[in-house]
Amino acid sequence: LTTSRQRIWADDASFWSAAVESNPHSWRAWRELATVHLGAGRLEEAEAAFLRALPDTPRSERPILLNNLGIVYQQTGRLAAAETSFREAAEINPRYADPLYNLGLQCWSRALRLESEGEGNAAAAQLDEARRYFEAALAIDPDLATAHYGLG
């Protein structure tokens, strides 16, 4: 028994995999497994686990899940889906800074692309929007270092 338990507790992925196996309806176990996969760069597995958790996740907990799902989408190049996830997270909890910061990153990335395409006015508009998102995130969480970095 001790040896089998040691395998389960060997690492976070093993622990949360065992948790979803023993309780497949636990949104929290699926979300935690997804977060472990995201941290390890296993984006396909992270997406599948976040999507499995989503239907059962209480509304109050959805913003964290949606923000992290948005990060998966962003890292896999699905920028429209990422933006939708970030916006939904921010709508559910307007006092959660992370999706606002991530929306700012989306705008900043768009500005860089537009600038490289010679679209200076459109790029400037995206930079202004990015700045507004970073400032909104900092109004909620003044210690969010990445948003300070985004403002320069």
Side-chain angles (χ1 to χ4, degrees):
L1 182 65
T2 301
T3 304
S4 68
R5 285 285 175 214
Q6 285 176 334
R7 280 192 298 266
I8 291 171
W9 287 88
D11 56 42
D12 289 341
S14 299
F15 177 80
W16 290 113
S17 292
V20 298
E21 186 176 310
S22 66
N23 189 359
H25 299 291
S26 171
W27 64 268
R28 188 178 307 274
W30 282 107
R31 184 187 73 188
E32 295 303 322
L33 179 61
T35 303
V36 168
H37 287 316
L38 176 58
R42 294 186 299 269
L43 301 178
E44 188 174 308
E45 293 93 338
E47 179 181 359
F50 280 133
L51 291 173
R52 174 59 186 83
L54 193 56
D56 298 322
T57 302
R59 182 171 171 79
S60 63
E61 298 288 336
R62 288 175 75 87
I64 294 169
L65 188 149
L66 288 165
N67 184 67
N68 288 339
L69 183 59
I71 291 169
V72 170
Y73 291 148
Q74 191 172 48
Q75 290 182 2
T76 56
R78 293 175 285 166
L79 302 181
E83 186 168 342
T84 298
S85 288
F86 297 143
R87 285 189 189 284
E88 188 176 345
E91 286 172 16
I92 294 170
N93 184 357
R95 302 293 308 152
Y96 180 34
D98 290 2
L100 296 172
Y101 165 75
N102 286 322
L103 286 165
L105 277 183
Q106 295 269 111
C107 294
W108 188 57
S109 295
R110 259 193 308 271
L112 293 176
R113 181 182 49 79
L114 289 165
E115 184 67 33
S116 73
E117 295 170 355
E119 298 288 335
N121 289 339
Q126 286 298 303
L127 285 175
D128 286 343
E129 190 171 352
R131 183 177 8 269
R132 285 192 296 275
Y133 280 121
F134 292 146
E135 288 171 349
L138 287 169
I140 295 165
D141 183 358
D143 297 325
L144 188 60
T146 52
H148 283 287
Y149 177 76
L151 287 174

